[in-house]
Amino acid sequence: KTLRVINNLRHLDVGIPITFQQYQKSGADTVVERLVNRHLHFLACRLCEFLKMKPNRVLIHWACCKVRRTVQLPAEVVRDSIQKKMCKCAGISYVEVAQVAYDVGRKDLATMLLDEEPSPREQIKLLMKMGCNDHALAKAIEAGDTDWIYLVLLHLMREFNLEPGPRGRPNQEGAKMFVQMIKDRPIACDLFVQYARAQDLKLLLFFYHYTQNNVELARMTIHEAYKQKSPSEMAEILKETQVLLADAKHESGFYAKATEEQIKLLAMGELESLTQGEHAHKPLSDIIFQLIENGHMNKALKLKSDFKVPDKRFWWLKLKALAAAGKWNELDKFSKEKRSPIGYEPFVQTCLEYGRKAEARKFCSEKIDKPSVRSEYFMKMEDWQAATENAILAKDVKLLKELIPKTKDLPSLSQQIQAALQQLE
């Protein structure tokens, strides 16, 4: 095999009179390299095939030469010719060939060749170098690698002079071009928003303005409003928020209602003294809770009326506020005002949370109708006598079985439970 190689190299058309020792010392790779440098690509490929070597290096060199020699041919013709040869080698890189095409002024051919490149990394790097930023971003998204998408986005921001820094408003023209490039690509938009939210809020504001995303703009103005110390300044900014939300009614109902409530609250100057100036930074529910806790019930009822707070919501707030203030007598009176829209289990549960077993027992005995529910609450209070009586009354086998280990030191209750179980089973 070696002799056949040496004989072919000594042929007049090749002219490499190499000895056996020289071939052994230099190796096949060097011989192939010398053939490539002499542009003897066909012989180099045959030699690689004969020696079972990969012809990648030979084909890449041949393709580079073809690009340089076929400047007048259409890009599609050159691309097809190169692809026909190189497609036989799986995983072969087109980057070097594309670079040559770009260097000789054939950017269209370079882009076509890069479409065949198997490595997204090399593909994207050269596309950015060539100024094909839109194509680079598309390839990064297609590759699904967030690191490369971020790399292209940061490259674009440098290109359009949009890097974060103390520069005031972003470059208007550059920002428009940048937003135009990414606005129809959801993944790129999402990653840009994450980056801008952490690094450059002014650019993010411009992005939302340009894409007419009024809901996100409103969210940003709300955040800005809550940074203000003065209620009047906060109200002014929230009024801007209202205007933005009015243009997006179908998707901003909750935000519009909450903003309207907050502006009304800020206009109520008397709340400042009643809440120690905290009303500007609290939602309506928290203000009502604080007013009830501090004993300003009439003011809380006025807010309920003005803001049309639902009965269920108000009862929950009043229950929690009275319990937090330790006003148990008032809580008892409150439970008797009218039929509770939230039921009476929350009263029992709240009393237990604050360790008030006596109040919990009273609510449980007087207000809870279902014996099984009463039994469960009496178990939480460790009132085994009442728990057993209600479990027997409810004929609940599961509850009775749960009570067996709890009453093992109480013989009379254990006997009652066993007797009840025998009857039920």
Side-chain angles (χ1 to χ4, degrees), residues 112-306:
M112 290 178 186
L113 290 169
L114 281 175
D115 285 337
E116 309 299 329
E117 171 58 40
S119 168
R121 173 176 179 158
E122 299 301 325
Q123 193 179 44
I124 294 163
K125 280 167 65 177
L126 186 52
L127 283 169
M128 287 193 295
K129 183 179 176 182
M130 291 162 49
C132 301
N133 297 319
D134 192 69
H135 202 171
L137 182 59
K139 290 296 180 183
I141 293 170
E142 186 182 316
D145 190 325
T146 54
D147 289 340
W148 281 101
I149 298 172
Y150 268 126
L151 182 70
V152 178
L153 288 174
L154 292 172
H155 171 75
L156 288 171
M157 290 173 70
R158 284 193 297 271
E159 287 281 307
F160 298 127
N161 193 26
L162 299 176
E163 290 182 291
R167 63 177 188 282
R169 290 178 62 81
N171 175 356
Q172 294 289 313
E173 285 305 314
K176 283 181 182 179
M177 293 172 67
F178 175 77
V179 174
Q180 191 67 30
M181 191 174 289
I182 72 168
K183 69 182 181 69
D184 295 325
R185 295 183 166 109
I187 295 175
C189 286
D190 290 345
L191 292 176
F192 167 73
V193 167
Q194 288 182 29
Y195 171 82
R197 187 171 284 132
Q199 300 289 336
D200 195 341
L201 289 176
K202 289 178 182 176
L203 185 57
L204 182 59
L205 191 65
F206 181 89
F207 175 75
Y208 286 144
H209 268 298
Y210 192 84
T211 55
Q212 297 181 337
N213 192 335
N214 287 343
V215 174
E216 290 300 334
L217 272 175
R219 285 177 182 165
M220 289 188 72
T221 56
I222 289 170
H223 282 295
E224 188 63 29
Y226 277 90
K227 291 178 184 177
Q228 309 305 313
K229 294 181 180 179
S230 164
S232 59
E233 291 176 358
M234 185 183 293
E236 284 300 315
I237 296 176
L238 287 176
K239 285 175 184 175
E240 294 178 21
T241 305
Q242 267 191 316
V243 174
L244 291 168
L245 292 174
D247 295 331
K249 288 181 180 178
H250 63 287
E251 54 182 325
S252 62
F254 169 77
Y255 296 111
K257 181 68 175 172
T259 304
E260 183 184 353
E261 285 183 358
Q262 195 64 34
I263 292 172
K264 284 184 181 178
L265 285 171
L266 291 169
M268 295 179 176
E270 67 272 20
L271 288 178
E272 189 164 0
S273 59
L274 296 176
T275 61
Q276 291 81 46
E278 296 178 0
H279 76 293
H281 297 277
K282 283 188 174 182
L284 178 62
S285 294
D286 287 1
I287 293 172
I288 292 175
F289 179 96
Q290 188 176 355
L291 288 170
I292 297 171
E293 187 180 25
N294 294 338
H296 305 295
M297 185 59 69
N298 290 336
K299 192 62 188 175
L301 287 169
K302 188 174 185 307
L303 287 179
K304 176 184 182 295
S305 174
D306 291 346

Side-chain angles (χ1 to χ4, degrees), residues 361 375 377-388 403:
R361 189 176 288 107
S375 179
Y377 279 118
F378 282 129
M379 286 173 69
K380 290 180 180 179
M381 300 177 215
E382 298 182 353
D383 187 341
W384 309 121
Q385 178 71 41
T388 301
L403 282 164

